[in-house]
Amino acid sequence: MLFRSAKFFALGIALFAFGFSVQPSAPNTIEAEQIISATNLARASSGLPPLTQNQKLSAASAEKLSDMAGMGYFSHNSPAGTGPWHWIVKNDYAYASAGENLAINFDDAQKLVRAWLTSPAHKKNLLNPHYSDVGVSVQKVHIRGKTYTLVVQMLAAPKTLSVN
């Protein structure tokens, strides 16, 4: 999907007609900082500069994850039609381009990033030379009596003013 020069891709779209419930007491076995570090290692291996964790993108990814948990879906677009760009704009990040990677049920950051790198679409997001910022959220959710880990990664480049 193309939106303001931004592309996003799914690791695997699976819509859940039933609700998620967030498990705040269950500790995550994978942390946002680990995912950012693994992402930056992959970028360094490709000769790219590291991404900087951005608080606005972190807030956007957290709100997106909360929306998925609350509305019971795993997709770039909510059942109500809200796309990932909504969360980025809502959190006052003016972007020139942006992407989103999603994952479910990974417990190791290196394995997660390796999985994204085997997907051409996710790899394109991770290794986009134009992106400079990243925000990642990780949360345990309860689905049909089982606990899963959801990950939302938002990558972007800020809009810059052109001087003529």
Side-chain angles (χ1 to χ4, degrees), residues 41-77:
L41 283 173
R43 289 176 64 83
S45 294
S46 294
L48 295 170
L51 299 171
T52 301
Q53 185 173 9
N54 180 280
Q55 293 303 337
K56 292 177 180 182
L57 291 178
S58 294
S61 65
E63 288 182 22
K64 168 64 182 280
L65 196 148
S66 180
D67 190 65
M68 286 195 305
M71 293 184 65
Y73 70 97
F74 177 70
S75 177
H76 294 291
N77 295 306

Side-chain angles (χ1 to χ4, degrees), residues 18-57:
F18 47 88
F20 294 102
S21 64
V22 175
Q23 300 292 310
S25 61
N28 291 323
T29 56
I30 185 174
E31 300 294 331
E33 293 77 14
Q34 295 169 330
I35 296 167
I36 293 169
S37 178
T39 296
N40 282 333
L41 283 173
R43 289 176 64 83
S45 294
S46 294
L48 295 170
L51 299 171
T52 301
Q53 185 173 9
N54 180 280
Q55 293 303 337
K56 292 177 180 182
L57 291 178

Side-chain angles (χ1 to χ4, degrees), residues 33-143:
E33 293 77 14
Q34 295 169 330
I35 296 167
I36 293 169
S37 178
T39 296
N40 282 333
L41 283 173
R43 289 176 64 83
S45 294
S46 294
L48 295 170
L51 299 171
T52 301
Q53 185 173 9
N54 180 280
Q55 293 303 337
K56 292 177 180 182
L57 291 178
S58 294
S61 65
E63 288 182 22
K64 168 64 182 280
L65 196 148
S66 180
D67 190 65
M68 286 195 305
M71 293 184 65
Y73 70 97
F74 177 70
S75 177
H76 294 291
N77 295 306
S78 77
T82 304
W85 326 123
H86 165 81
W87 307 107
I88 295 171
V89 171
K90 182 179 179 215
N91 282 278
D92 297 323
Y93 185 97
Y95 65 93
S97 60
E100 177 183 73
N101 287 335
L102 303 176
I104 190 167
N105 217 27
F106 280 86
D107 61 3
D108 179 273
Q110 294 293 333
K111 289 179 184 176
L112 168 58
V113 171
R114 278 195 301 270
W116 278 340
L117 287 170
T118 63
S119 160
H122 291 95
K123 182 177 181 177
K124 189 174 182 178
N125 270 345
L126 290 173
L127 303 181
N128 185 322
H130 302 291
Y131 293 156
S132 58
D133 298 328
V134 66
V136 175
S137 290
V138 180
Q139 184 65 58
K140 297 279 187 182
V141 295
H142 189 69
I143 306 168

